[in-house]
DNA sequence: AATGAATGAGAGTTCATTCAT
DNA sequence: CATGAATGAACTCTCATTCAT
């Protein structure tokens, strides 16, 4: 039983175009990428791309949208769930890192190329990005209230750090298809929760 | 009466050119940047740039070099010192983050644009980047042998995570001149050492 | 059950297409106009236009034809009539100027865009245009023989001037829908007959 | 003794470019013309054009400016002079028609292609065009007050008719290099002053 | 009778690069 | 040292046209 509305052929092809653009932008950067390259990946001629995009800029915008759409949606689900904090952190990291594997390179493109969009397109996206960070920040604030975080931890800093760490690993995931995302999720979550050092004294002078 | 054996002025101007290129590349990306823009920042004309660079590619290479040269050198110093582990971690983070403030965006350019260099130029740089990572990894390995790290921590993962986290914050530092780097250093180091969560490390079975 | 021998509907639609093309060409010029624009005016899709035209060039040709066909035909009637000279001049101007209102810009397109047609298409049209001028010239020659024109008047010059003046006003008529064509006809005819100046014609040495 | 400031080489070449553009636009219309064609006329390569123009649009604007600049200036002189009316009319027609010979095709381009300019560029030009018409209208009003015009003549209509008639002949002058402009000036002026018909009765019913 | 999809040629434009001066 | 002038290749984008359905 298919979903309520089958995508038209046009919609299907347009999605292909967006994915091809994502790959091309990820490889060469927005300005270094050529519409010819995108078309080649799709197996159509360059001019035909413009049947699906009004401009290269629009292509970038659509790629960025593809990159964060479900990404934000998943965070909504995680934030709304009543799981314990540590599960939600794990879920967040899992969602974030596995997005890099699943979404072609759209998320990477969102991260590195969105600043080349026009003002208005960017604000449209920024709303989504901010929402993600706020949801994550909210999770930390809840945890802080429950005394689950170390007192020195700032929630804003924490959220940005989680995002930053995941994006850094995401870049590596995209570049290296051998990387085991599952292991990485464990390690990142572990790092975020407990840090690298043994013991518990924050500023321990030795010798 | 200037003579050919006074390279100072040329070297000075060349450094200006590299910094101008760094700024231009940081703002528009390598492919989005124009040699005209670089020249404008220097107050010279487009064609005159070629007195300092053989090509735009070379400019990128020099920017990247500027970006990591002292950056690696400082890590050499840190690694060679006999300070305790935690001081060295602090020194590493300090060096990394403050580089983003001091180096005119060159480090950012190194991170995001170096992949557009030719194969050989890249290997030249990669040596330096790898060296940095190895030194850092070495520090972690020493610490691990001394039992300073939690046993679940993988040193390779740790080194890449430190670099990734610092780069992520570095991007923010470059974009937002108001950010207090000193505070950030404290917070990052704290996070890396002890993580976000309070209390009972669950996987602490030592000896 | 429609049969191939009922061309009416097709002919109707084709006429619509020609008028749409006329409007598009008048607004953007031949080269600036797009087949998409023509189709949009008709409410059909771009590709469907080719059911009515073999090419954009053919469309231009048809528009030009529409523009001058009855225009010439009316002049034939005027020239053949036995009205006095001044009535014929009035009729000519009336026909010319009101064509601009009635013919959906086709006459304007004929005037300004016909030079973009191929050699052979143009000669086809030129016959009609020349015929118009010759008929008008003939009217003047008749009048000259009857001593109705000032002796200094050259009939070829007169015909071209009438056409030129009417075309100039025609452009304004097309652009400004408020212009009162009836008044304009009076004024133009008056100008052509008696000029602008009062009194004693200086070169009036007759007989 | 050269004028106070010799044009630089750049200014010279830019003027050449404008003239080449005028010729190209006159022949193919703005949209039908190609920058390659303009460059070819100048003997430079297509891309080099952009050293002199920011865009094809700017080229059109400059051509139009060239077309009317002195054209308006000359009318200022004529309007300011204290010659009798008939001399000024003659001067106007002379200036107008000879402009078509002298100015390459810039004036023709101004007439037929200016509507493809952007809104703001057009208003800039419109000021000049309106000024021309107003000056001419002023000449007619003066003449009317002195009783030199037939009472039925409307000065606004008269000015537009003079302009329209001259433009119509201008087109022919541009297209046909054999046309004798001097003769034409006489004929046009004569027509405008006294009309085509002998006698002086405006609405004379015969028979 | 009409359309969706694609094409390919050509357009305007940008830009790294060169070089005589 | 530096520039003005030019180049040519690449790029994005447009559009008349075709054709299976």
């Amino acid at each position: 039983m298919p979903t309520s509305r089958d995508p038209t052929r046009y919609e299907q092809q347009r999605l292909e175009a967006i994915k091809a653009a994502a790959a091309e932008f990820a490889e060469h950067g927005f300005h270094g990428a050529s519409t010819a390259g995108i078309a080649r990946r799709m197996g159509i001629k360059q001019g035909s791309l413009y049947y699906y995009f009004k401009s290269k800029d629009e292509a970038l915008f659509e790629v960025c949208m593809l990159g964060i759409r479900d990404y934000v949606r998943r965070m909504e689900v995680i934030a709304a769930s009543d799981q314990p904090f540590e599960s939600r952190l794990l879920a967040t990291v899992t969602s974030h890192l596995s997005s890099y594997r699943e979404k072609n390179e759209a998320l990477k493109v969102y991260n590195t190329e969105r600043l080349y969009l026009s003002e208005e397109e960017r604000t449209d996206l920024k709303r989504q990005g901010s929402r993600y960070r706020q949801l994550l920040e909210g999770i930390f604030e809840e945890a802080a209230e429950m005394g689950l975080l170390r007192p020195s931890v700032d929630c804003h800093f924490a959220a940005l750090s989680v995002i930053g760490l995941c994006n850094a690993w995401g870049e590596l995931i995209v570049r290296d298809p051998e990387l085991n995302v599952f292991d990485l999720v464990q390690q990142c979550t572990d790092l975020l929760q407990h840090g690298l050092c043994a013991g518990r004294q924050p500023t321990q002078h030795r010798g």
Side-chain angles (χ1 to χ4, degrees), chain A residues 57-58 60-69 71-72 76 110 114-132:
Chain A
D57 273 87
E58 186 184 299
L60 176 55
F61 180 74
E62 293 296 337
V63 169
C64 290
M65 268 302 186
L66 174 67
I68 51 163
R69 207 193 315 265
Y71 170 72
V72 176
E76 305 260 13
Y110 166 78
R114 70 165 179 272
L115 70 151
Y116 302 128
L117 287 168
S118 76
E119 194 77 20
E120 32 176 345
E121 288 168 322
R122 221 160 51 226
T123 55
D124 213 4
L125 286 174
K126 192 155 249 166
R127 240 192 311 274
Q128 308 242 23
S130 298
R131 174 129 190 81
Y132 186 92

Side-chain angles (χ1 to χ4, degrees), chain A residues 169-188:
Chain A
W169 277 106
E171 290 275 320
L172 298 173
I173 289 170
V174 168
R175 230 171 281 173
D176 178 358
E178 307 282 309
L179 264 185
N180 183 326
V181 172
F182 181 79
D183 287 355
L184 225 44
V185 168
Q186 305 303 321
Q187 291 180 287
C188 284

Side-chain angles (χ1 to χ4, degrees), chain A residues 18 22-23 26 63-64 66-68 103-111:
Chain A
I18 295 171
V63 169
C64 290
L66 174 67
I68 51 163
K103 294 308 249 351
N104 274 330
E105 296 90 341
L107 189 51
K108 176 196 152 109
V109 171
Y110 166 78
N111 279 323

Side-chain angles (χ1 to χ4, degrees), chain A residues 1-205:
Chain A
M1 191 196 298
T3 59
S4 62
R5 199 175 62 86
D6 285 353
T8 64
R9 169 151 170 68
Y10 179 84
E11 284 164 342
Q12 277 173 24
Q13 277 285 91
R14 187 158 200 271
L15 185 59
E16 287 308 306
I18 295 171
K19 286 182 183 168
E24 193 74 6
F25 291 156
E27 187 170 337
H28 300 109
F30 175 66
H31 288 114
S34 78
T35 54
I38 300 171
R40 204 178 312 118
R41 281 174 200 262
M42 289 183 68
I44 64 175
K45 294 298 155 65
Q46 191 216 33
S48 311
L49 254 194
Y50 287 75
Y51 190 64
Y52 300 106
F53 296 129
K54 263 207 299 287
S55 70
K56 194 185 175 188
D57 273 87
E58 186 184 299
L60 176 55
F61 180 74
E62 293 296 337
V63 169
C64 290
M65 268 302 186
L66 174 67
I68 51 163
R69 207 193 315 265
D70 333 286
Y71 170 72
V72 176
R73 209 173 297 154
R74 288 199 240 174
M75 181 50 95
E76 305 260 13
V77 174
I78 294 169
S81 81
D82 55 355
Q83 293 176 314
F85 168 69
E86 305 208 339
S87 303
R88 286 153 110 187
L89 184 59
L90 182 68
T92 299
V93 175
T94 304
S95 160
H96 201 143
L97 291 188
S98 58
S99 281
Y100 275 97
R101 263 286 134 74
E102 296 160 12
K103 294 308 249 351
N104 274 330
E105 296 90 341
L107 189 51
K108 176 196 152 109
V109 171
Y110 166 78
N111 279 323
T112 59
E113 311 295 326
R114 70 165 179 272
L115 70 151
Y116 302 128
L117 287 168
S118 76
E119 194 77 20
E120 32 176 345
E121 288 168 322
R122 221 160 51 226
T123 55
D124 213 4
L125 286 174
K126 192 155 249 166
R127 240 192 311 274
Q128 308 242 23
S130 298
R131 174 129 190 81
Y132 186 92
R133 203 204 61 241
Q134 279 163 10
L135 288 167
L136 184 51
E137 220 169 307
I139 292 175
F140 281 121
E141 273 157 11
E142 258 183 58
E145 277 172 26
M146 297 172 67
L148 299 174
L149 300 189
R150 293 194 302 110
S152 65
V153 167
D154 173 70
C155 290
H156 184 68
F157 168 82
L160 286 174
S161 294
V162 171
I163 292 171
L165 185 70
C166 287
N167 282 337
W169 277 106
E171 290 275 320
L172 298 173
I173 289 170
V174 168
R175 230 171 281 173
D176 178 358
E178 307 282 309
L179 264 185
N180 183 326
V181 172
F182 181 79
D183 287 355
L184 225 44
V185 168
Q186 305 303 321
Q187 291 180 287
C188 284
T189 310
D190 185 50
L191 165 62
L192 289 167
Q193 285 178 324
H194 312 298
L196 301 166
C197 296
R200 66 186 70 183
Q201 304 85 329
T203 53
Q204 163 183 15
H205 304 275

